[in-house]
Amino acid sequence: MTMNSIKVEDSSGNTNDGTEASSSSSQSNGVHKVCLPPHRTTFQKLRHRLSEIFFPDDPLHRFKNQTTLRKFVLGLQFFFPVFEWGPKYNLMLLRSDIIAGITIASLAIPQGISYAKLANLPPIIGLYSSFVPPLIYSILGSSRHLAVGPVSIASLVMGTMLSQAVTYSKEPALYLQLAFTATLIAGCLQAAMGFFRLGFIIDFLSKATLLGFMAGAAVIVSLQQLKGLLGIVHFTNKMEIIPVLTSVFENRNEWTWQTVVMGGCFLMFLLTARQISARNPKLFWVSAAAPLVSVILSTVIVYLIKNETHAIPTIGHLPKGINPPSVNKLHFGGPFMALALRVGIITGILALTEGIAVGRTFAAMENYQVDGNKEMIAIGLMNIVGSCASCFVTTGSFSRSAVSYNAGGKSVVSNIVMAATVLITLLFLMPLFHYTPNVILAAIIITAVIGLIDYQGAFRLWKVDKLDCIACLSSFFGVLFISVAIGLLIAVGISVFKILLHVTRPNTNVLGYISSTRSFQSLSRYTTAVRIPSFLIIAVEAPFYFANSTYLHERTLRWIREEEDRIKANQEPPIKCVILDMTAVTAIDTSGIDTICELRRILEKRSLKLVLANPVGNVMEKLFNSNALEAFGLDGLYLTVSEAVDDISSSWKPEKGPAQPLTI
């Protein structure tokens, strides 16, 4: 049977034998022929598919029709965005960036020290990580407002996973080796994902599961800081809620009232400052300056009473000077290599997810685009360099980026200003932190991570998508009661399960006709939609794959059985034709084709006709190449559901006497 016999023509209007299809033949009896997509070789199809997967944004479009010199300049700008914005930079922008840089430095310095403690690393490592990585990002990064440095989630995960095998207090050299090695692995993973354009992988961490993960991590982090707020010396290294609370109350004899009073007062001060800034964005500087003010005030207080009491533990001596090299501390072998690999992969993906999400958030607010793959390369390279310069995992921080944005930051120069401020601190101001109490670092961490608990977001998930809310809660409780790493795996597992659920159990609907709109819509959704007598119109809203072909086969037969039961109960005319609306079937494989053919054979034995309506290009091509269309005959394939109903119903009328076709 030729293409023309089943009302099929190629996109140029030619029939299978190459003859020109006339307008009268292509619209015979008002029925349009269904076109095949333009002919392409297997290589062309593969190239197109890979391009859609890895290059959806067509990053090389700017190089088209350009001279060699221009291509070289564009190449520099592509790999080093500093060459793009640098020539346009001016003094007015510099003034704004200096203000923003100094402002975020006032937040980055205490946060850097605090997050290093959160990762169970020496506080000075946090300042090192706030100096080198921002300089690297300012050269390679494409976001104008992303402020980089240590972040709470990555610090927490690193500290938790490493401390389960090695503790810094007992084996400081090995702990540092593993931390720097994990940072290098994270950087290599991030850069590789960007270079090979694998950014879609991080999309498996859905917003719902990340919402639960971050909330659970925030609760655990806050409870862990009770050690500092209460002055407890002996505290559990575990991160689950039950061991942490047990450790708090089992060591009540170690609580000190001086630490409790100071911690409570400064925690209230920090939370109040945060609330003031949240209610009035113009007062953003209150929340930004509060951590540094707290550090200064608490340090002064402890210094003044140092001879009166020794009940408040302090940071102690911090060495002056810039980042020492740590290449010799990278650890590639031994029994802990697998641990470093796991920590690097998990923290790398978490840091990447947070950094890109923050960058895209502020880019959307300012109406510019951020290249996710270039961001991955930038974040990866800054972690690779950082691992060689005594830094641990860093990425874009939401709190610091928000401060930079509200302070009027216009470009990544604000990162350079912040790094310069940290440099001055490292060179000249380190002795001032000797009397900084640990309790103030705990208060700063609690204030920072408490913003990760988005209970309103959880309520929205419950209202909009119950499955998303279940994923969020599962991730949340997994972190609380099992572990941070397992909680993250639960989050990923639920995300993958949700994808599989949608793929294997796609939506199907019975359609009815809405005369006022001249369209077919779901009967369960629109009360004005009416059934067409003798027709059952089923819409499939997913690709037809091996994973769902059995389900779609069974569900279609069930729709037919239910419709026959309804017809029998209402004494209506029996079904004669089943129409599959394939508008939303974006792809099909051999299992799907076999399922459609099997359905046709089953329905044919029951004297029911199966008709396909509006298959998309690649589906149509596969159906044709598999010769599946030959069995459907002249009236088995239609461009629209309306044409199928009109054409088929008109062929029934002569059997019942003179009548006009059912025109809809």
Side-chain angles (χ1 to χ4, degrees):
M1 183 173 290
T2 65
M3 291 171 62
N4 193 44
S5 65
I6 52 172
K7 300 194 298 299
V8 178
E9 62 183 11
D10 62 26
S11 59
S12 63
N14 295 328
T15 58
N16 191 35
D17 56 5
T19 60
E20 185 72 18
S22 66
S23 59
S24 60
S25 64
S26 66
Q27 297 185 14
S28 176
N29 297 323
V31 178
H32 295 79
K33 292 189 176 182
V34 182
C35 291
L36 287 169
H39 175 72
R40 292 181 298 177
T41 65
T42 302
F43 175 75
Q44 288 173 328
K45 293 176 185 177
L46 179 62
R47 185 176 63 179
H48 174 74
R49 188 57 183 156
L50 292 177
S51 175
E52 290 298 309
I53 293 174
F54 296 106
F55 304 97
D57 55 344
D58 189 16
L60 301 180
H61 71 280
R62 63 170 70 182
F63 294 91
K64 295 177 181 177
N65 303 320
Q66 300 291 339
T67 64
T68 303
L69 179 60
R70 181 61 181 162
K71 287 181 180 179
F72 176 75
V73 174
L74 290 174
L76 284 178
Q77 293 176 349
F78 181 81
F79 291 106
F80 303 97
V82 64
F83 289 106
E84 184 173 359
W85 58 261
K88 306 173 187 176
Y89 202 72
N90 55 49
L91 290 176
M92 185 176 296
L93 295 175
L94 179 61
R95 185 181 64 179
S96 299
D97 286 333
I98 288 176
I99 296 173
I102 294 174
T103 305
I104 57 177
S106 67
L107 178 65
I109 292 172
Q111 274 192 352
I113 296 173
S114 302
Y115 292 158
K117 295 281 286 184
L118 189 59
N120 297 318
L121 290 165
I124 192 66
I125 300 295
L127 292 182
Y128 292 158
S129 303
S130 300
F131 170 51
V132 171
L135 295 177
I136 303 300
Y137 183 82
S138 63
I139 299 173
L140 301 171
S142 60
S143 173
R144 303 172 194 166
H145 299 92
L146 195 68
V148 300
V151 293
S152 57
I153 295 299
S155 303
L156 166 68
V157 172
M158 175 173 282
T160 302
M161 295 185 69
L162 290 181
S163 296
Q164 290 175 350
V166 181
T167 58
Y168 180 79
S169 58
K170 295 181 179 179
E171 299 177 277
L174 178 59
Y175 193 93
L176 285 177
Q177 286 179 347
L178 294 176
F180 295 147
T181 305
T183 301
L184 176 64
I185 293 170
C188 291
L189 173 69
Q190 293 163 341
M193 288 177 66
F195 182 79
F196 292 107
R197 305 185 70 82
L198 300 176
F200 61 87
I201 292 177
I202 64 174
D203 293 335
F204 281 99
L205 287 173
S206 67
K207 290 184 178 180
T209 52
L210 279 177
L211 184 71
F213 171 77
M214 289 191 294
V219 171
I220 288 295
V221 169
S222 299
L223 293 176
Q224 272 281 344
Q225 302 318 303
L226 291 176
K227 173 185 178 181
L229 286 176
L230 301 176
I232 299 174
V233 178
H234 302 91
F235 201 73
T236 180
N237 289 325
K238 297 181 179 180
M239 297 297 291
E240 300 82 48
I241 187 171
I242 294 177
V244 170
L245 290 177
T246 301
S247 182
V248 168
F249 291 103
E250 284 183 349
N251 296 288
R252 289 193 303 272
N253 59 314
E254 296 183 2
W255 296 9
T256 57
W257 68 267
Q258 297 95 330
T259 304
V260 172
V261 171
M262 176 174 281
C265 291
F266 278 103
L267 183 59
M268 289 298 297
F269 169 70
L270 290 167
L271 292 175
T272 302
R274 181 186 180 89
Q275 195 67 21
I276 291 172
S277 296
R279 292 185 176 182
N280 189 351
K282 293 182 178 179
L283 298 177
F284 70 91
W285 55 269
V286 175
S287 178
L292 187 60
V293 171
S294 300
V295 168
I296 294 172
L297 289 177
S298 62
T299 302
V300 171
I301 291 172
V302 171
Y303 176 77
L304 293 176
I305 64 173
K306 66 179 186 297
N307 294 327
E308 303 296 329
T309 179
H310 297 285
I312 303 178
T314 61
I315 291 177
H317 173 71
L318 293 178
K320 292 195 297 183
I322 59 174
N323 302 35
S326 56
V327 178
N328 59 328
K329 295 182 180 178
L330 297 177
H331 189 77
F332 298 106
F336 296 104
M337 184 60 200
L339 173 63
L341 188 63
R342 288 198 305 271
V343 175
I345 292 174
I346 293 177
T347 56
I349 291 177
L350 281 176
L352 207 55
T353 303
E354 181 173 355
I356 292 178
V358 173
R360 286 176 175 170
T361 298
F362 289 99
M365 293 170 63
E366 287 296 305
N367 195 29
Y368 68 92
Q369 287 187 330
V370 169
D371 188 326
N373 291 291
K374 286 202 291 187
E375 285 295 283
M376 292 184 206
I377 294 175
I379 294 174
L381 288 178
M382 79 180 187
N383 278 314
I384 291 173
V385 175
S387 68
C388 301
S390 300
C391 304
F392 69 110
V393 175
T394 55
T395 187
S397 164
F398 184 81
S399 59
R400 267 166 277 175
S401 299
V403 168
S404 176
Y405 177 80
N406 290 322
K410 301 297 182 183
S411 73
V412 289
V413 173
S414 58
N415 276 297
I416 299 176
V417 175
M418 178 189 72
T421 306
V422 173
L423 174 62
I424 294 172
T425 303
L426 286 169
L427 292 177
F428 305 108
L429 304 180
M430 296 314 298
L432 299 179
F433 291 97
H434 182 88
Y435 291 102
T436 300
N438 290 330
V439 65
I440 202 62
L441 302 181
I444 291 172
I445 291 174
I446 292 174
T447 307
V449 301
I450 203 170
L452 299 176
I453 304 175
D454 186 5
Y455 61 90
Q456 292 179 337
F459 286 137
R460 284 194 298 271
L461 289 177
W462 178 256
K463 184 178 180 180
V464 176
D465 191 325
K466 302 297 189 295
L467 187 59
D468 265 354
C469 187
I470 292 174
C472 173
L473 293 177
S474 300
S475 177
F476 175 75
F477 288 114
V479 172
L480 283 186
F481 292 99
I482 305 177
S483 72
V484 174
I486 297 299
L488 180 61
L489 291 177
I490 290 174
V492 175
I494 291 175
S495 297
V496 174
F497 172 75
K498 183 180 177 182
I499 294 172
L500 293 176
L501 187 63
H502 284 303
V503 170
T504 59
R505 294 295 183 268
N507 290 333
T508 57
N509 291 293
V510 174
L511 305 184
Y513 182 65
I514 303 177
S515 58
S516 59
T517 64
R518 299 185 61 82
S519 66
F520 287 84
Q521 299 294 337
S522 172
L523 287 168
S524 62
R525 182 180 175 190
Y526 294 94
T527 57
T528 55
V530 296
R531 287 178 167 85
I532 304 297
S534 302
F535 285 92
L536 176 61
I537 306 166
I538 303 173
V540 179
E541 300 178 353
F544 227 125
Y545 283 145
F546 68 93
N548 60 24
S549 59
T550 301
Y551 168 79
L552 290 172
H553 180 276
E554 295 173 350
R555 193 65 183 91
T556 301
L557 294 178
R558 177 183 166 188
W559 278 123
I560 296 171
R561 184 178 68 250
E562 291 174 349
E563 183 67 7
E564 288 176 337
D565 292 342
R566 188 195 65 80
I567 288 173
K568 184 177 181 181
N570 295 317
Q571 296 182 344
E572 296 179 0
I575 303 173
K576 294 183 179 181
C577 180
V578 177
I579 300 177
L580 280 184
D581 182 3
M582 303 183 70
T583 304
V585 180
T586 56
I588 195 169
D589 65 0
T590 53
S591 297
I593 294 172
D594 291 342
T595 298
I596 290 177
C597 293
E598 179 66 21
L599 276 173
R600 186 198 61 78
R601 287 191 291 269
I602 292 174
L603 297 184
E604 191 176 58
K605 292 178 181 179
R606 299 170 59 176
S607 300
L608 295 177
K609 184 178 185 61
L610 179 64
V611 171
L612 308 180
N614 195 27
V616 299
N618 64 328
V619 172
M620 181 63 193
E621 186 177 28
K622 290 184 179 181
L623 288 171
F624 177 75
N625 291 336
S626 66
N627 297 322
L629 295 178
E630 292 185 1
F632 281 83
L634 184 64
D635 52 355
L637 182 68
Y638 290 88
L639 185 62
T640 65
V641 174
S642 298
E643 287 191 357
V645 172
D646 276 347
D647 188 53
I648 296 171
S649 60
S650 66
S651 67
W652 295 339
K653 296 302 180 181
E655 301 175 5
K656 301 179 182 180
Q660 296 297 321
L662 177 60
T663 304
I664 57 177

